[in-house]
Amino acid sequence: MSKNRLRILVVDDHPLVRNGIRQVLSLEPDMEVVGEAGDDQEALRLARELRPNVILLDLALPRRTGLELLPRLREELPETQVVILTYSASEQDAIAALQAGAAGYLVKSMAPEALAARIREAFRGDVPVSGSVMRNVLRAMSTPSELPPPTPGGQPGAGEAAESLLSPREAQILRRIAAGNTNREIAEQLGLSENTVKNYVKSILAKLNLENRVQAAAWALNNPWAVHEADEP
């Protein structure tokens, strides 16, 4: 057993679904399903015991729902990426999960062969969201009521002030986040290392007072003047 494998815990109340996920991921040399849970209590117990790298979490669980369990998992295992894998394509569910700290939101109607790639993206910090809900999520989160202000002091009063929050390189990277590019793709496009891009993303989120890449993409779509095309750094 390789120490470099991603250790994955599957939380779903349907045994057939859990078995299907296990079979799909068993084909991946860099992944291992280390446990399965059918409810919130079993999920917490196994998460504490196994300390997985990634938890695939269904929303529809007995007793406590996935949305209710998510904050507890994030609190107890901050180093673990929790990815929602559900039948629900509801933008409200997706927004609630992402705002609660989910590392991704995937719909079970996705192609099985795409699951492993989305898990890798979540582990790298790319916050994958199924295309069937991404457009609606971005539209809903692009309204001021759904996004926190970009600075602790509130929304800047003029475009010039808000634009100055980001460096030209940060604005360049944020444009690519809004276009749906992953950190790896951005690194390749700009000739940077992936770690350098990660550091820029962290800086962008901190400056704009945002929680994740999805919020950042929505902010960019709502504030196009702040991420306009600039000369290459």
Side-chain angles (χ1 to χ4, degrees), residues 6-11 47 51-57 70 73-85 98 100-105 118-128 183 198 202 211-213:
L6 290 181
R7 295 164 49 81
I8 299 165
L9 172 63
V10 180
V11 182
R51 315 299 292 187
N53 302 114
V54 177
I55 296 175
L56 294 180
L57 176 64
L70 176 58
L73 290 170
R74 297 293 300 127
E75 179 183 358
E76 295 201 20
L77 292 91
E79 74 285 357
T80 297
Q81 303 292 347
V82 183
V83 177
I84 300 299
L85 180 60
L98 293 167
Y105 192 95
R118 300 291 85 79
I119 291 173
R120 293 186 189 99
E121 289 173 9
F123 184 70
R124 293 197 300 263
D126 285 328
V127 193
N183 285 351
K198 286 182 180 179
K202 288 180 182 177
E211 295 292 331
N212 55 50
R213 296 168 66 92

mmCIF file of all heavy atoms in Angstrom, residues 6-11 47 51-57 70 73-85 98 100-105 118-128 183 198 202 211-213:
data_model
loop_
_atom_site.group_PDB
_atom_site.id
_atom_site.type_symbol
_atom_site.label_atom_id
_atom_site.label_comp_id
_atom_site.label_asym_id
_atom_site.label_seq_id
_atom_site.Cartn_x
_atom_site.Cartn_y
_atom_site.Cartn_z
ATOM 1 N N LEU A 6 -4.222 8.833 -1.995
ATOM 2 C CA LEU A 6 -5.231 9.626 -1.308
ATOM 3 C C LEU A 6 -6.163 8.668 -0.565
ATOM 4 O O LEU A 6 -6.726 7.752 -1.160
ATOM 5 C CB LEU A 6 -6.036 10.456 -2.313
ATOM 6 C CG LEU A 6 -5.316 11.611 -2.991
ATOM 7 C CD1 LEU A 6 -6.260 12.346 -3.928
ATOM 8 C CD2 LEU A 6 -4.739 12.571 -1.972
ATOM 9 N N ARG A 7 -6.322 8.902 0.712
ATOM 10 C CA ARG A 7 -7.171 8.060 1.551
ATOM 11 C C ARG A 7 -8.565 8.678 1.586
ATOM 12 O O ARG A 7 -8.727 9.824 2.010
ATOM 13 C CB ARG A 7 -6.575 7.957 2.957
ATOM 14 C CG ARG A 7 -5.236 7.234 2.981
ATOM 15 C CD ARG A 7 -4.475 7.462 4.282
ATOM 16 N NE ARG A 7 -5.307 7.242 5.449
ATOM 17 C CZ ARG A 7 -5.576 6.035 5.960
ATOM 18 N NH1 ARG A 7 -5.073 4.949 5.391
ATOM 19 N NH2 ARG A 7 -6.339 5.913 7.032
ATOM 20 N N ILE A 8 -9.563 7.903 1.168
ATOM 21 C CA ILE A 8 -10.903 8.448 0.955
ATOM 22 C C ILE A 8 -11.915 7.713 1.817
ATOM 23 O O ILE A 8 -11.925 6.481 1.878
ATOM 24 C CB ILE A 8 -11.300 8.330 -0.531
ATOM 25 C CG1 ILE A 8 -10.316 9.146 -1.385
ATOM 26 C CG2 ILE A 8 -12.729 8.811 -0.762
ATOM 27 C CD1 ILE A 8 -10.372 8.839 -2.846
ATOM 28 N N LEU A 9 -12.770 8.474 2.479
ATOM 29 C CA LEU A 9 -13.895 7.938 3.243
ATOM 30 C C LEU A 9 -15.175 8.286 2.496
ATOM 31 O O LEU A 9 -15.411 9.450 2.159
ATOM 32 C CB LEU A 9 -13.930 8.546 4.655
ATOM 33 C CG LEU A 9 -15.152 8.222 5.517
ATOM 34 C CD1 LEU A 9 -15.242 6.728 5.815
ATOM 35 C CD2 LEU A 9 -15.103 9.027 6.826
ATOM 36 N N VAL A 10 -16.009 7.278 2.231
ATOM 37 C CA VAL A 10 -17.263 7.467 1.503
ATOM 38 C C VAL A 10 -18.421 7.444 2.494
ATOM 39 O O VAL A 10 -18.592 6.467 3.231
ATOM 40 C CB VAL A 10 -17.467 6.376 0.435
ATOM 41 C CG1 VAL A 10 -18.789 6.594 -0.304
ATOM 42 C CG2 VAL A 10 -16.297 6.361 -0.543
ATOM 43 N N VAL A 11 -19.209 8.521 2.525
ATOM 44 C CA VAL A 11 -20.343 8.620 3.446
ATOM 45 C C VAL A 11 -21.622 8.729 2.627
ATOM 46 O O VAL A 11 -21.890 9.762 1.993
ATOM 47 C CB VAL A 11 -20.201 9.840 4.381
ATOM 48 C CG1 VAL A 11 -21.380 9.891 5.354
ATOM 49 C CG2 VAL A 11 -18.877 9.797 5.124
ATOM 50 N N ALA A 47 -14.137 8.936 10.560
ATOM 51 C CA ALA A 47 -13.302 10.087 10.221
ATOM 52 C C ALA A 47 -12.243 10.318 11.298
ATOM 53 O O ALA A 47 -11.066 10.559 10.989
ATOM 54 C CB ALA A 47 -14.163 11.327 10.039
ATOM 55 N N ARG A 51 -8.691 9.358 9.729
ATOM 56 C CA ARG A 51 -8.072 10.619 9.303
ATOM 57 C C ARG A 51 -7.846 10.639 7.789
ATOM 58 O O ARG A 51 -6.722 10.765 7.296
ATOM 59 C CB ARG A 51 -6.732 10.848 10.018
ATOM 60 C CG ARG A 51 -6.734 10.575 11.494
ATOM 61 C CD ARG A 51 -7.695 11.433 12.269
ATOM 62 N NE ARG A 51 -7.324 12.840 12.307
ATOM 63 C CZ ARG A 51 -7.963 13.746 13.057
ATOM 64 N NH1 ARG A 51 -8.991 13.378 13.830
ATOM 65 N NH2 ARG A 51 -7.581 14.993 13.034
ATOM 66 N N PRO A 52 -8.914 10.515 7.002
ATOM 67 C CA PRO A 52 -8.757 10.455 5.543
ATOM 68 C C PRO A 52 -8.321 11.789 4.961
ATOM 69 O O PRO A 52 -8.481 12.848 5.581
ATOM 70 C CB PRO A 52 -10.162 10.088 5.063
ATOM 71 C CG PRO A 52 -11.062 10.668 6.112
ATOM 72 C CD PRO A 52 -10.331 10.485 7.410
ATOM 73 N N ASN A 53 -7.772 11.743 3.748
ATOM 74 C CA ASN A 53 -7.440 12.978 3.029
ATOM 75 C C ASN A 53 -8.683 13.649 2.473
ATOM 76 O O ASN A 53 -8.780 14.878 2.440
ATOM 77 C CB ASN A 53 -6.485 12.682 1.866
ATOM 78 C CG ASN A 53 -5.203 12.012 2.295
ATOM 79 O OD1 ASN A 53 -4.968 10.867 1.944
ATOM 80 N ND2 ASN A 53 -4.386 12.703 3.064
ATOM 81 N N VAL A 54 -9.638 12.815 2.019
ATOM 82 C CA VAL A 54 -10.858 13.321 1.392
ATOM 83 C C VAL A 54 -12.049 12.530 1.915
ATOM 84 O O VAL A 54 -11.979 11.308 2.057
ATOM 85 C CB VAL A 54 -10.795 13.193 -0.149
ATOM 86 C CG1 VAL A 54 -12.111 13.648 -0.785
ATOM 87 C CG2 VAL A 54 -9.632 13.998 -0.720
ATOM 88 N N ILE A 55 -13.142 13.239 2.203
ATOM 89 C CA ILE A 55 -14.409 12.597 2.550
ATOM 90 C C ILE A 55 -15.412 12.938 1.456
ATOM 91 O O ILE A 55 -15.626 14.119 1.139
ATOM 92 C CB ILE A 55 -14.947 13.078 3.908
ATOM 93 C CG1 ILE A 55 -13.994 12.674 5.035
ATOM 94 C CG2 ILE A 55 -16.350 12.506 4.175
ATOM 95 C CD1 ILE A 55 -14.386 13.215 6.410
ATOM 96 N N LEU A 56 -16.009 11.918 0.847
ATOM 97 C CA LEU A 56 -17.123 12.115 -0.083
ATOM 98 C C LEU A 56 -18.411 12.009 0.723
ATOM 99 O O LEU A 56 -18.714 10.947 1.275
ATOM 100 C CB LEU A 56 -17.096 11.054 -1.183
ATOM 101 C CG LEU A 56 -15.905 11.098 -2.149
ATOM 102 C CD1 LEU A 56 -16.012 9.980 -3.176
ATOM 103 C CD2 LEU A 56 -15.807 12.452 -2.847
ATOM 104 N N LEU A 57 -19.145 13.085 0.811
ATOM 105 C CA LEU A 57 -20.280 13.183 1.734
ATOM 106 C C LEU A 57 -21.585 13.426 0.996
ATOM 107 O O LEU A 57 -21.727 14.421 0.272
ATOM 108 C CB LEU A 57 -20.014 14.332 2.718
ATOM 109 C CG LEU A 57 -21.116 14.670 3.723
ATOM 110 C CD1 LEU A 57 -21.367 13.499 4.678
ATOM 111 C CD2 LEU A 57 -20.740 15.928 4.513
ATOM 112 N N LEU A 70 -21.413 18.568 7.957
ATOM 113 C CA LEU A 70 -20.241 19.208 7.358
ATOM 114 C C LEU A 70 -19.467 20.114 8.314
ATOM 115 O O LEU A 70 -18.237 19.983 8.433
ATOM 116 C CB LEU A 70 -20.673 19.973 6.105
ATOM 117 C CG LEU A 70 -19.611 20.785 5.373
ATOM 118 C CD1 LEU A 70 -18.445 19.909 4.937
ATOM 119 C CD2 LEU A 70 -20.235 21.485 4.162
ATOM 120 N N LEU A 73 -17.403 18.037 10.756
ATOM 121 C CA LEU A 73 -16.238 17.417 10.131
ATOM 122 C C LEU A 73 -15.141 18.444 9.893
ATOM 123 O O LEU A 73 -13.954 18.175 10.126
ATOM 124 C CB LEU A 73 -16.642 16.772 8.805
ATOM 125 C CG LEU A 73 -17.524 15.517 8.889
ATOM 126 C CD1 LEU A 73 -18.037 15.136 7.497
ATOM 127 C CD2 LEU A 73 -16.763 14.354 9.517
ATOM 128 N N ARG A 74 -15.516 19.631 9.433
ATOM 129 C CA ARG A 74 -14.517 20.680 9.181
ATOM 130 C C ARG A 74 -13.847 21.117 10.471
ATOM 131 O O ARG A 74 -12.658 21.408 10.493
ATOM 132 C CB ARG A 74 -15.188 21.888 8.505
ATOM 133 C CG ARG A 74 -15.772 21.610 7.138
ATOM 134 C CD ARG A 74 -14.670 21.296 6.111
ATOM 135 N NE ARG A 74 -13.763 22.400 5.982
ATOM 136 C CZ ARG A 74 -12.441 22.302 6.108
ATOM 137 N NH1 ARG A 74 -11.872 21.146 6.377
ATOM 138 N NH2 ARG A 74 -11.671 23.357 5.974
ATOM 139 N N GLU A 75 -14.606 21.141 11.558
ATOM 140 C CA GLU A 75 -14.048 21.552 12.846
ATOM 141 C C GLU A 75 -13.072 20.504 13.386
ATOM 142 O O GLU A 75 -11.998 20.848 13.883
ATOM 143 C CB GLU A 75 -15.178 21.769 13.852
ATOM 144 C CG GLU A 75 -14.695 22.173 15.236
ATOM 145 C CD GLU A 75 -15.840 22.319 16.221
ATOM 146 O OE1 GLU A 75 -17.011 22.143 15.823
ATOM 147 O OE2 GLU A 75 -15.564 22.604 17.406
ATOM 148 N N GLU A 76 -13.456 19.234 13.301
ATOM 149 C CA GLU A 76 -12.636 18.177 13.892
ATOM 150 C C GLU A 76 -11.489 17.730 12.991
ATOM 151 O O GLU A 76 -10.473 17.240 13.480
ATOM 152 C CB GLU A 76 -13.511 16.969 14.250
ATOM 153 C CG GLU A 76 -14.526 17.253 15.340
ATOM 154 C CD GLU A 76 -15.015 15.987 16.016
ATOM 155 O OE1 GLU A 76 -14.323 14.948 15.916
ATOM 156 O OE2 GLU A 76 -16.089 16.034 16.637
ATOM 157 N N LEU A 77 -11.660 17.865 11.673
ATOM 158 C CA LEU A 77 -10.625 17.440 10.733
ATOM 159 C C LEU A 77 -10.328 18.551 9.735
ATOM 160 O O LEU A 77 -10.646 18.438 8.547
ATOM 161 C CB LEU A 77 -11.051 16.172 9.986
ATOM 162 C CG LEU A 77 -11.168 14.884 10.789
ATOM 163 C CD1 LEU A 77 -12.596 14.718 11.323
ATOM 164 C CD2 LEU A 77 -10.795 13.686 9.938
ATOM 165 N N PRO A 78 -9.747 19.650 10.178
ATOM 166 C CA PRO A 78 -9.524 20.789 9.283
ATOM 167 C C PRO A 78 -8.592 20.462 8.114
ATOM 168 O O PRO A 78 -8.630 21.141 7.092
ATOM 169 C CB PRO A 78 -8.910 21.847 10.210
ATOM 170 C CG PRO A 78 -8.340 21.069 11.351
ATOM 171 C CD PRO A 78 -9.247 19.903 11.541
ATOM 172 N N GLU A 79 -7.766 19.428 8.280
ATOM 173 C CA GLU A 79 -6.835 19.065 7.213
ATOM 174 C C GLU A 79 -7.484 18.178 6.144
ATOM 175 O O GLU A 79 -6.890 17.914 5.103
ATOM 176 C CB GLU A 79 -5.618 18.339 7.798
ATOM 177 C CG GLU A 79 -5.862 16.907 8.258
ATOM 178 C CD GLU A 79 -6.633 16.778 9.566
ATOM 179 O OE1 GLU A 79 -6.956 17.816 10.184
ATOM 180 O OE2 GLU A 79 -6.891 15.627 9.982
ATOM 181 N N THR A 80 -8.701 17.715 6.392
ATOM 182 C CA THR A 80 -9.407 16.830 5.461
ATOM 183 C C THR A 80 -10.307 17.631 4.531
ATOM 184 O O THR A 80 -11.033 18.514 4.986
ATOM 185 C CB THR A 80 -10.249 15.797 6.231
ATOM 186 O OG1 THR A 80 -9.381 14.966 7.012
ATOM 187 C CG2 THR A 80 -11.045 14.917 5.278
ATOM 188 N N GLN A 81 -10.261 17.316 3.250
ATOM 189 C CA GLN A 81 -11.134 17.973 2.274
ATOM 190 C C GLN A 81 -12.460 17.216 2.220
ATOM 191 O O GLN A 81 -12.469 16.006 1.963
ATOM 192 C CB GLN A 81 -10.486 17.984 0.885
ATOM 193 C CG GLN A 81 -9.122 18.650 0.837
ATOM 194 C CD GLN A 81 -9.182 20.133 1.072
ATOM 195 O OE1 GLN A 81 -10.251 20.742 1.043
ATOM 196 N NE2 GLN A 81 -8.039 20.746 1.315
ATOM 197 N N VAL A 82 -13.561 17.911 2.461
ATOM 198 C CA VAL A 82 -14.883 17.298 2.431
ATOM 199 C C VAL A 82 -15.594 17.719 1.145
ATOM 200 O O VAL A 82 -15.865 18.902 0.933
ATOM 201 C CB VAL A 82 -15.732 17.703 3.654
ATOM 202 C CG1 VAL A 82 -17.085 16.984 3.619
ATOM 203 C CG2 VAL A 82 -14.990 17.368 4.954
ATOM 204 N N VAL A 83 -15.863 16.738 0.291
ATOM 205 C CA VAL A 83 -16.498 16.990 -1.002
ATOM 206 C C VAL A 83 -17.920 16.439 -0.973
ATOM 207 O O VAL A 83 -18.128 15.266 -0.650
ATOM 208 C CB VAL A 83 -15.709 16.327 -2.147
ATOM 209 C CG1 VAL A 83 -16.411 16.539 -3.484
ATOM 210 C CG2 VAL A 83 -14.285 16.866 -2.194
ATOM 211 N N ILE A 84 -18.883 17.281 -1.271
ATOM 212 C CA ILE A 84 -20.276 16.827 -1.339
ATOM 213 C C ILE A 84 -20.477 16.047 -2.638
ATOM 214 O O ILE A 84 -20.101 16.506 -3.716
ATOM 215 C CB ILE A 84 -21.246 18.015 -1.291
ATOM 216 C CG1 ILE A 84 -21.060 18.812 0.011
ATOM 217 C CG2 ILE A 84 -22.691 17.529 -1.423
ATOM 218 C CD1 ILE A 84 -21.317 18.031 1.274
ATOM 219 N N LEU A 85 -21.073 14.860 -2.522
ATOM 220 C CA LEU A 85 -21.437 14.045 -3.681
ATOM 221 C C LEU A 85 -22.889 13.636 -3.488
ATOM 222 O O LEU A 85 -23.198 12.807 -2.634
ATOM 223 C CB LEU A 85 -20.525 12.817 -3.796
ATOM 224 C CG LEU A 85 -20.802 11.882 -4.985
ATOM 225 C CD1 LEU A 85 -20.653 12.615 -6.308
ATOM 226 C CD2 LEU A 85 -19.870 10.677 -4.935
ATOM 227 N N LEU A 98 -20.916 25.073 0.095
ATOM 228 C CA LEU A 98 -19.661 25.780 -0.150
ATOM 229 C C LEU A 98 -19.395 26.830 0.919
ATOM 230 O O LEU A 98 -18.256 27.008 1.364
ATOM 231 C CB LEU A 98 -19.699 26.418 -1.539
ATOM 232 C CG LEU A 98 -19.710 25.413 -2.705
ATOM 233 C CD1 LEU A 98 -20.074 26.108 -3.999
ATOM 234 C CD2 LEU A 98 -18.369 24.720 -2.827
ATOM 235 N N ALA A 100 -20.331 26.582 3.913
ATOM 236 C CA ALA A 100 -20.028 25.853 5.151
ATOM 237 C C ALA A 100 -18.651 25.204 5.106
ATOM 238 O O ALA A 100 -18.248 24.564 6.076
ATOM 239 C CB ALA A 100 -21.095 24.788 5.413
ATOM 240 N N GLY A 101 -17.941 25.349 4.003
ATOM 241 C CA GLY A 101 -16.576 24.859 3.945
ATOM 242 C C GLY A 101 -16.347 23.629 3.092
ATOM 243 O O GLY A 101 -15.265 23.039 3.149
ATOM 244 N N ALA A 102 -17.330 23.228 2.293
ATOM 245 C CA ALA A 102 -17.126 22.078 1.410
ATOM 246 C C ALA A 102 -16.015 22.387 0.416
ATOM 247 O O ALA A 102 -15.889 23.503 -0.084
ATOM 248 C CB ALA A 102 -18.408 21.729 0.666
ATOM 249 N N ALA A 103 -15.198 21.367 0.119
ATOM 250 C CA ALA A 103 -14.091 21.527 -0.826
ATOM 251 C C ALA A 103 -14.530 21.270 -2.256
ATOM 252 O O ALA A 103 -13.714 21.335 -3.178
ATOM 253 C CB ALA A 103 -12.954 20.574 -0.455
ATOM 254 N N GLY A 104 -15.812 20.994 -2.461
ATOM 255 C CA GLY A 104 -16.341 20.754 -3.792
ATOM 256 C C GLY A 104 -17.794 20.331 -3.696
ATOM 257 O O GLY A 104 -18.263 19.931 -2.619
ATOM 258 N N TYR A 105 -18.504 20.431 -4.800
ATOM 259 C CA TYR A 105 -19.912 20.033 -4.838
ATOM 260 C C TYR A 105 -20.147 19.299 -6.143
ATOM 261 O O TYR A 105 -20.175 19.902 -7.220
ATOM 262 C CB TYR A 105 -20.827 21.258 -4.746
ATOM 263 C CG TYR A 105 -22.285 20.917 -4.500
ATOM 264 C CD1 TYR A 105 -22.804 20.903 -3.202
ATOM 265 C CD2 TYR A 105 -23.133 20.612 -5.561
ATOM 266 C CE1 TYR A 105 -24.129 20.584 -2.975
ATOM 267 C CE2 TYR A 105 -24.465 20.290 -5.334
ATOM 268 C CZ TYR A 105 -24.955 20.284 -4.041
ATOM 269 O OH TYR A 105 -26.283 19.961 -3.814
ATOM 270 N N ARG A 118 -12.026 14.953 -10.257
ATOM 271 C CA ARG A 118 -12.614 15.983 -9.396
ATOM 272 C C ARG A 118 -12.084 15.856 -7.961
ATOM 273 O O ARG A 118 -11.885 16.857 -7.268
ATOM 274 C CB ARG A 118 -14.142 15.866 -9.403
ATOM 275 C CG ARG A 118 -14.809 16.014 -10.752
ATOM 276 C CD ARG A 118 -14.710 17.435 -11.297
ATOM 277 N NE ARG A 118 -13.462 17.661 -12.010
ATOM 278 C CZ ARG A 118 -13.221 17.265 -13.256
ATOM 279 N NH1 ARG A 118 -14.145 16.610 -13.929
ATOM 280 N NH2 ARG A 118 -12.077 17.524 -13.829
ATOM 281 N N ILE A 119 -11.867 14.621 -7.499
ATOM 282 C CA ILE A 119 -11.311 14.417 -6.157
ATOM 283 C C ILE A 119 -9.897 14.990 -6.083
ATOM 284 O O ILE A 119 -9.522 15.656 -5.111
ATOM 285 C CB ILE A 119 -11.314 12.927 -5.798
ATOM 286 C CG1 ILE A 119 -12.750 12.433 -5.597
ATOM 287 C CG2 ILE A 119 -10.499 12.673 -4.524
ATOM 288 C CD1 ILE A 119 -12.864 10.935 -5.393
ATOM 289 N N ARG A 120 -9.117 14.754 -7.117
ATOM 290 C CA ARG A 120 -7.749 15.300 -7.132
ATOM 291 C C ARG A 120 -7.784 16.825 -7.107
ATOM 292 O O ARG A 120 -6.972 17.464 -6.438
ATOM 293 C CB ARG A 120 -7.001 14.806 -8.375
ATOM 294 C CG ARG A 120 -6.729 13.308 -8.376
ATOM 295 C CD ARG A 120 -5.846 12.909 -9.568
ATOM 296 N NE ARG A 120 -5.773 11.455 -9.666
ATOM 297 C CZ ARG A 120 -6.507 10.724 -10.501
ATOM 298 N NH1 ARG A 120 -7.376 11.319 -11.319
ATOM 299 N NH2 ARG A 120 -6.371 9.418 -10.531
ATOM 300 N N GLU A 121 -8.709 17.410 -7.857
ATOM 301 C CA GLU A 121 -8.836 18.871 -7.860
ATOM 302 C C GLU A 121 -9.163 19.388 -6.467
ATOM 303 O O GLU A 121 -8.589 20.386 -6.018
ATOM 304 C CB GLU A 121 -9.924 19.302 -8.848
ATOM 305 C CG GLU A 121 -9.545 19.108 -10.310
ATOM 306 C CD GLU A 121 -10.699 19.395 -11.250
ATOM 307 O OE1 GLU A 121 -11.740 19.904 -10.767
ATOM 308 O OE2 GLU A 121 -10.579 19.115 -12.448
ATOM 309 N N ALA A 122 -10.083 18.726 -5.778
ATOM 310 C CA ALA A 122 -10.454 19.153 -4.424
ATOM 311 C C ALA A 122 -9.273 19.046 -3.486
ATOM 312 O O ALA A 122 -9.038 19.937 -2.659
ATOM 313 C CB ALA A 122 -11.623 18.316 -3.910
ATOM 314 N N PHE A 123 -8.506 17.985 -3.608
ATOM 315 C CA PHE A 123 -7.340 17.798 -2.732
ATOM 316 C C PHE A 123 -6.299 18.881 -2.980
ATOM 317 O O PHE A 123 -5.611 19.307 -2.056
ATOM 318 C CB PHE A 123 -6.743 16.408 -2.952
ATOM 319 C CG PHE A 123 -5.608 16.098 -2.021
ATOM 320 C CD1 PHE A 123 -5.844 15.893 -0.669
ATOM 321 C CD2 PHE A 123 -4.304 16.026 -2.496
ATOM 322 C CE1 PHE A 123 -4.792 15.613 0.208
ATOM 323 C CE2 PHE A 123 -3.251 15.743 -1.632
ATOM 324 C CZ PHE A 123 -3.499 15.533 -0.277
ATOM 325 N N ARG A 124 -6.222 19.347 -4.227
ATOM 326 C CA ARG A 124 -5.270 20.418 -4.553
ATOM 327 C C ARG A 124 -5.811 21.797 -4.193
ATOM 328 O O ARG A 124 -5.119 22.796 -4.323
ATOM 329 C CB ARG A 124 -4.938 20.390 -6.053
ATOM 330 C CG ARG A 124 -4.179 19.177 -6.518
ATOM 331 C CD ARG A 124 -3.555 19.429 -7.889
ATOM 332 N NE ARG A 124 -4.553 19.728 -8.894
ATOM 333 C CZ ARG A 124 -5.056 18.838 -9.742
ATOM 334 N NH1 ARG A 124 -4.671 17.576 -9.683
ATOM 335 N NH2 ARG A 124 -5.945 19.199 -10.638
ATOM 336 N N GLY A 125 -7.075 21.879 -3.780
ATOM 337 C CA GLY A 125 -7.647 23.160 -3.391
ATOM 338 C C GLY A 125 -8.387 23.876 -4.492
ATOM 339 O O GLY A 125 -8.616 25.089 -4.398
ATOM 340 N N ASP A 126 -8.819 23.162 -5.532
ATOM 341 C CA ASP A 126 -9.460 23.816 -6.670
ATOM 342 C C ASP A 126 -10.983 23.957 -6.549
ATOM 343 O O ASP A 126 -11.617 24.584 -7.375
ATOM 344 C CB ASP A 126 -9.142 23.048 -7.961
ATOM 345 C CG ASP A 126 -7.716 23.294 -8.438
ATOM 346 O OD1 ASP A 126 -7.205 24.395 -8.204
ATOM 347 O OD2 ASP A 126 -7.120 22.389 -9.042
ATOM 348 N N VAL A 127 -11.614 23.361 -5.545
ATOM 349 C CA VAL A 127 -13.057 23.467 -5.291
ATOM 350 C C VAL A 127 -13.885 23.147 -6.541
ATOM 351 O O VAL A 127 -14.535 24.027 -7.117
ATOM 352 C CB VAL A 127 -13.456 24.852 -4.732
ATOM 353 C CG1 VAL A 127 -14.886 24.819 -4.186
ATOM 354 C CG2 VAL A 127 -12.511 25.287 -3.638
ATOM 355 N N PRO A 128 -13.895 21.891 -6.983
ATOM 356 C CA PRO A 128 -14.689 21.540 -8.167
ATOM 357 C C PRO A 128 -16.188 21.601 -7.893
ATOM 358 O O PRO A 128 -16.654 21.214 -6.826
ATOM 359 C CB PRO A 128 -14.249 20.096 -8.460
ATOM 360 C CG PRO A 128 -13.841 19.554 -7.127
ATOM 361 C CD PRO A 128 -13.217 20.720 -6.402
ATOM 362 N N ASN A 183 -5.822 25.462 -10.591
ATOM 363 C CA ASN A 183 -4.494 25.989 -10.274
ATOM 364 C C ASN A 183 -3.447 25.454 -11.240
ATOM 365 O O ASN A 183 -2.561 26.190 -11.686
ATOM 366 C CB ASN A 183 -4.103 25.614 -8.842
ATOM 367 C CG ASN A 183 -4.822 26.448 -7.810
ATOM 368 O OD1 ASN A 183 -5.491 27.419 -8.141
ATOM 369 N ND2 ASN A 183 -4.695 26.075 -6.548
ATOM 370 N N LYS A 198 -1.100 28.779 -5.956
ATOM 371 C CA LYS A 198 -1.836 28.571 -4.704
ATOM 372 C C LYS A 198 -1.648 29.753 -3.771
ATOM 373 O O LYS A 198 -2.597 30.211 -3.121
ATOM 374 C CB LYS A 198 -1.374 27.289 -4.021
ATOM 375 C CG LYS A 198 -1.864 26.009 -4.664
ATOM 376 C CD LYS A 198 -1.384 24.799 -3.883
ATOM 377 C CE LYS A 198 -1.857 23.501 -4.509
ATOM 378 N NZ LYS A 198 -1.381 22.323 -3.761
ATOM 379 N N LYS A 202 -4.549 32.282 -2.312
ATOM 380 C CA LYS A 202 -4.735 32.582 -0.886
ATOM 381 C C LYS A 202 -4.743 34.085 -0.646
ATOM 382 O O LYS A 202 -5.545 34.609 0.134
ATOM 383 C CB LYS A 202 -3.629 31.923 -0.065
ATOM 384 C CG LYS A 202 -3.731 30.419 0.050
ATOM 385 C CD LYS A 202 -2.582 29.855 0.872
ATOM 386 C CE LYS A 202 -2.633 28.342 0.953
ATOM 387 N NZ LYS A 202 -1.471 27.786 1.702
ATOM 388 N N GLU A 211 -14.164 33.072 1.034
ATOM 389 C CA GLU A 211 -13.857 31.779 1.632
ATOM 390 C C GLU A 211 -13.244 30.786 0.646
ATOM 391 O O GLU A 211 -12.454 29.941 1.041
ATOM 392 C CB GLU A 211 -15.133 31.151 2.225
ATOM 393 C CG GLU A 211 -15.718 31.929 3.390
ATOM 394 C CD GLU A 211 -14.823 31.893 4.612
ATOM 395 O OE1 GLU A 211 -14.094 30.900 4.786
ATOM 396 O OE2 GLU A 211 -14.855 32.870 5.387
ATOM 397 N N ASN A 212 -13.625 30.854 -0.619
ATOM 398 C CA ASN A 212 -13.168 29.831 -1.550
ATOM 399 C C ASN A 212 -13.184 30.352 -2.980
ATOM 400 O O ASN A 212 -13.584 31.483 -3.256
ATOM 401 C CB ASN A 212 -14.026 28.557 -1.434
ATOM 402 C CG ASN A 212 -15.506 28.852 -1.613
ATOM 403 O OD1 ASN A 212 -15.918 29.506 -2.569
ATOM 404 N ND2 ASN A 212 -16.327 28.379 -0.687
ATOM 405 N N ARG A 213 -12.737 29.497 -3.908
ATOM 406 C CA ARG A 213 -12.609 29.877 -5.306
ATOM 407 C C ARG A 213 -13.954 30.176 -5.960
ATOM 408 O O ARG A 213 -14.033 31.000 -6.877
ATOM 409 C CB ARG A 213 -11.921 28.747 -6.077
ATOM 410 C CG ARG A 213 -10.518 28.484 -5.656
ATOM 411 C CD ARG A 213 -10.050 27.176 -6.267
ATOM 412 N NE ARG A 213 -9.965 27.243 -7.711
ATOM 413 C CZ ARG A 213 -8.870 27.583 -8.372
ATOM 414 N NH1 ARG A 213 -7.765 27.861 -7.712
ATOM 415 N NH2 ARG A 213 -8.864 27.613 -9.693
#
